Amino acid sequence: MTTIDNEKSTIAIMILAAGASTRMGTPKQLLLYQGSSLLQYITDMAIASVCQPVVVVLGANAEQIHPQIKQLPVKVVENLDWACGMSTSIKSGIELLNNLPQKIEAVVITLCDQPFVSPQIINQLVDAYYSTKKSIIACEYGDTLGVPALFNQTFFSELAALKETSGAKKVINNNINEVFSIPFPLGDMDIDTPKDYEQLLLITRGIFEVS
């Protein structure tokens, strides 16, 4: 069980929410989920974890999306280069963390469209970081390693230097000897298309489609 005092924690969490949702046809950050927008839900999950501060990276449709989280205790950064890929959002978030007055020891990076991310999963990453002394703690799902994932600050420059559409998964794969993983089977479900969203609503209502 996590016992870290989040008032003193130097482990931040970064929510990447800058995409244009082209396959969805509407900003997925604003999709209704569990009584709020998808972004607000994920942000609430992050706030409930041991991580502080909570950083949200916006980009496409930022003016429309920002009101969803402006009342929450988060730091918002707008990535003006969002069209150049996820790497630019990670860079924007890392730059914000590097400019904070407190020293950030590590950051958990997560996406706004992984609906089953919970405070428990986030806290497991932090627990594993302290117990294993590994520099990267990743989630394992669908025979892969990915986000949510925690990165020690020694990887901040590598994260900020990612090119074009590369995501944090590239840093995980490039430093596999530094990685410890925790199981998160539901981590492979993200919301990219209207069909994904329909399936999510069915699952959360306890109704499963017969294949």
Side-chain angles (χ1 to χ4, degrees):
M1 183 176 180
T2 303
T3 57
I4 301 159
D5 181 355
N6 65 351
E7 292 299 319
K8 299 178 181 178
S9 173
T10 55
I11 297 183
I13 183 165
M14 181 194 308
I15 302 170
L16 304 180
S21 310
T22 51
R23 285 190 285 169
M24 182 63 67
T26 188
K28 57 187 172 183
Q29 298 92 329
L30 300 178
L31 293 174
L32 185 63
Y33 181 62
Q34 301 289 56
S36 65
S37 69
L38 183 57
L39 177 58
Q40 183 179 340
Y41 177 82
I42 298 297
T43 304
D44 284 339
M45 295 300 99
I47 292 168
S49 77
V50 297
C51 296
Q52 284 286 346
V54 177
V55 175
V56 180
V57 184
L58 299 181
N61 307 300
E63 289 185 6
Q64 186 181 357
I65 295 167
H66 188 222
Q68 292 290 315
I69 56 171
K70 69 178 182 179
Q71 302 298 331
L72 299 177
V74 300
K75 298 181 183 297
V76 177
V77 57
E78 185 173 348
N79 171 23
L80 299 178
D81 297 323
W82 60 266
C84 295
M86 189 179 295
S87 62
T88 60
S89 290
I90 294 173
K91 181 179 180 180
S92 295
I94 293 295
E95 287 177 349
L96 183 146
L97 293 177
N98 285 337
N99 287 319
L100 292 177
Q102 72 266 46
K103 184 179 186 299
I104 303 298
E105 180 180 346
V107 64
V108 173
I109 296 179
T110 192
L111 306 177
C112 74
D113 65 348
Q114 285 180 299
F116 294 109
V117 168
S118 65
Q120 291 75 24
I121 288 293
I122 298 167
N123 292 350
Q124 282 181 42
L125 293 170
V126 177
D127 281 340
Y129 171 70
Y130 284 116
S131 63
T132 67
K133 308 301 183 185
K134 287 286 190 178
S135 299
I136 300 175
I137 312 295
C139 285
E140 183 175 356
Y141 46 83
D143 297 321
T144 191
L145 299 176
V147 296
L150 180 151
F151 299 87
N152 180 270
Q153 59 87 22
T154 55
F155 291 102
F156 283 10
S157 59
E158 187 173 345
L159 287 164
L162 287 168
K163 300 299 183 184
E164 298 175 350
T165 58
S166 297
K169 188 173 180 178
K170 184 172 183 180
V171 176
I172 295 171
N173 291 336
N174 286 349
N175 300 279
I176 202 68
N177 291 333
E178 299 290 331
V179 179
F180 181 84
S181 65
I182 65 169
F184 180 30
L186 291 173
D188 64 351
M189 183 168 187
D190 54 17
I191 310 303
D192 289 322
T193 67
K195 186 175 181 180
D196 293 339
Y197 181 51
E198 290 170 12
Q199 184 182 21
L200 171 64
L201 296 181
L202 286 169
I203 291 173
T204 55
R205 290 170 185 158
I207 303 171
F208 293 85
E209 290 181 297
V210 178
S211 58

